[in-house]
Amino acid sequence: MSDYQAWFQCSQGCDSRYELTEVIYRCPDCDGLFEVVHDIDSLRKRSAAAWMKLFDQRYMRTEFPYGSGVWGKKEFVLPNIPNENIVSMYEGGTNLHKADRFGEEIGLKDLWIKQSGNSHTGSFKDLGMTVLISTVNQMITRGKKISAVVCASTGDTSVALSAYCAAAKIPAVVILPRDKVTAAQLIQPLSNGATTFALDTDFDGCMDIVRKLAEDESFYLANSVNPLRIEGQKTISIEIVQQFEWESPDWVIVPGGNLGNVSAIGLGFLMMYELGIIQALPRIVCAQTANANPLYRSYKKDFNEYKPVIAKPTLATALQIGNPVSIERATKIMKRFDGIVEEATEDEFAHAAAQADRSGLFSCPQTGVALAALIKLANKGTIKSDERVIVISTANGLKFVDFKVGYHTSKLPDIITKLSNKPVELSGDYESVRAAIDSIA
């Protein structure tokens, strides 16, 4: 048994505790969301310097499971689980791209892109799914009957769920809005053998159905209402700080849809702050598309009022969520971090993604939303030129090729494609190519 313990506890302050292997998602007393609470006093018995040394010794090594970017921080994530029940694909360990050219164009000297999409299934969702499926695996080894792990998804959650379930030989059921995920996202759960439903509704409609399924305890819920997902995703913060020799940045900008990731990133920084690993907290920016912006609207009213919205279609499909599950967690985090919520129109984020691509990136539309928010805040002077800024890139751009092709062929509705770049079609001879090159020069 580990010296360190963690458990479920109501985020609204109720006293009841539950084991992490219990099938429970909301507090039975107040209906509040649960969070994973760690025994901080036990964690403090090891010094901040000792934690940093331990994590550095494990980072990207081959000893299972500690080479994983998540499980290298096991004591901060899920200390209770035996290593033999962990289901890992060595997720995390993603690079920080120093975006000098793009930063120079928008007036920032210390801009970095955290490439969380450079993971096994191509998105940050792997970080949370390894924790959740490992817990399910432990539940099954203890004799718990789990018929399937289920999720609603705008794409990437279903992909991560299907891959980790396939590795663990656990059935997966994914429910998607028909024609609202990309072909690259749809083919991944199909290829992994998941039972996949495409429904004539949006994400919020899919989520309603999954909630009803999860009333049967044999269908385990994998959406981010489940705080186990949050625990894996919070390692983004720890890894960023580790990559900067344990220094905290000034700003972190996160795309916001269901709002689990912004919640997780905040919790990661808070845990390090409590344990003395970092001495200051960054400010967090949550970036939403203007077509699905419930947190932005709440922010404009100082978070004193929140109303779900009917999400309009958006090219940032993963953010097309009008009633985010993690709204309570995200609001708490934004208040604690003196956070800012910014929105971006379709034209703004399509252009921001294209501009970033011109500097060597290949940004998904969700990351484009974060980049557009960054440009706005830099132009306003809210973010100063010499401050260290991290933009969280949430998925690999190759999942959104239609978005890229549509931009460069000027076929995206209501988008001014200022940076479109079409192939030059010529006859197949040297002279034509040379003449075309000379004309450009």
Side-chain angles (χ1 to χ4, degrees), residues 60-95:
M60 304 300 290
R61 301 291 193 241
T62 55
E63 182 187 356
F64 185 88
Y66 299 113
S68 156
V70 172
W71 297 108
K73 284 83 175 172
K74 181 184 177 185
E75 295 84 356
F76 285 18
V77 176
L78 201 68
N80 316 57
I81 191 169
N83 285 351
E84 58 266 25
N85 289 333
I86 289 174
V87 183
S88 173
M89 297 183 182
Y90 271 42
E91 49 289 310
T94 56
N95 60 302

Side-chain angles (χ1 to χ4, degrees), residues 36-150:
V36 175
V37 175
H38 290 261
D39 185 349
I40 293 295
D41 288 338
S42 291
L43 292 171
R44 284 198 182 103
K45 292 177 182 177
R46 186 189 292 260
S47 69
W51 282 121
M52 290 185 274
K53 181 179 179 181
L54 176 65
F55 293 161
D56 283 339
Q57 287 171 342
R58 292 173 173 173
Y59 190 62
M60 304 300 290
R61 301 291 193 241
T62 55
E63 182 187 356
F64 185 88
Y66 299 113
S68 156
V70 172
W71 297 108
K73 284 83 175 172
K74 181 184 177 185
E75 295 84 356
F76 285 18
V77 176
L78 201 68
N80 316 57
I81 191 169
N83 285 351
E84 58 266 25
N85 289 333
I86 289 174
V87 183
S88 173
M89 297 183 182
Y90 271 42
E91 49 289 310
T94 56
N95 60 302
L96 271 169
H97 169 69
K98 194 171 192 308
D100 285 337
R101 179 177 172 183
F102 184 64
E104 182 180 345
E105 290 174 1
I106 63 174
L108 298 178
K109 300 175 183 176
D110 200 6
L111 174 63
W112 301 76
I113 314 295
K114 178 61 172 168
Q115 299 282 43
S116 298
N118 292 353
S119 192
H120 178 71
T121 73
S123 87
F124 75 94
K125 299 296 178 76
D126 293 349
L127 304 174
M129 206 58 71
T130 182
V131 176
L132 186 140
I133 298 303
S134 296
T135 304
V136 173
N137 199 37
Q138 183 174 9
M139 293 162 69
I140 291 171
T141 61
R142 288 182 174 182
K144 179 71 177 176
K145 180 177 175 3
I146 301 292
S147 300
V149 185
V150 301

Side-chain angles (χ1 to χ4, degrees), residues 351-356 358 407-408 416-422:
H351 179 71
Q355 184 180 355
R358 285 290 184 105
Y407 183 90
H408 288 287
I416 301 171
T417 53
K418 307 172 208 175
L419 297 175
S420 63
N421 188 23
K422 301 180 181 69

Side-chain angles (χ1 to χ4, degrees), residues 166-241:
K169 294 192 277 189
I170 298 171
V173 173
V174 303
I175 299 181
L176 308 168
R178 190 201 303 262
D179 298 329
K180 293 184 175 69
V181 302
T182 69
Q185 291 170 311
L186 177 60
I187 196 59
Q188 287 178 278
L190 295 176
S191 299
N192 291 142
T195 300
T196 304
F197 296 98
L199 305 186
D200 291 324
T201 184
D202 59 9
F203 171 82
D204 295 314
C206 292
M207 192 66 228
D208 287 340
I209 292 168
V210 166
R211 283 193 186 98
K212 290 174 183 174
L213 282 173
E215 291 173 5
D216 179 343
E217 286 194 4
S218 69
F219 292 107
Y220 192 76
L221 179 63
N223 285 95
S224 58
V225 66
N226 190 323
L228 292 170
R229 289 263 311 278
I230 303 296
E231 287 303 290
Q233 289 166 208
K234 80 182 186 187
T235 60
I236 295 174
S237 312
I238 304 171
E239 190 166 277
I240 287 171
V241 171

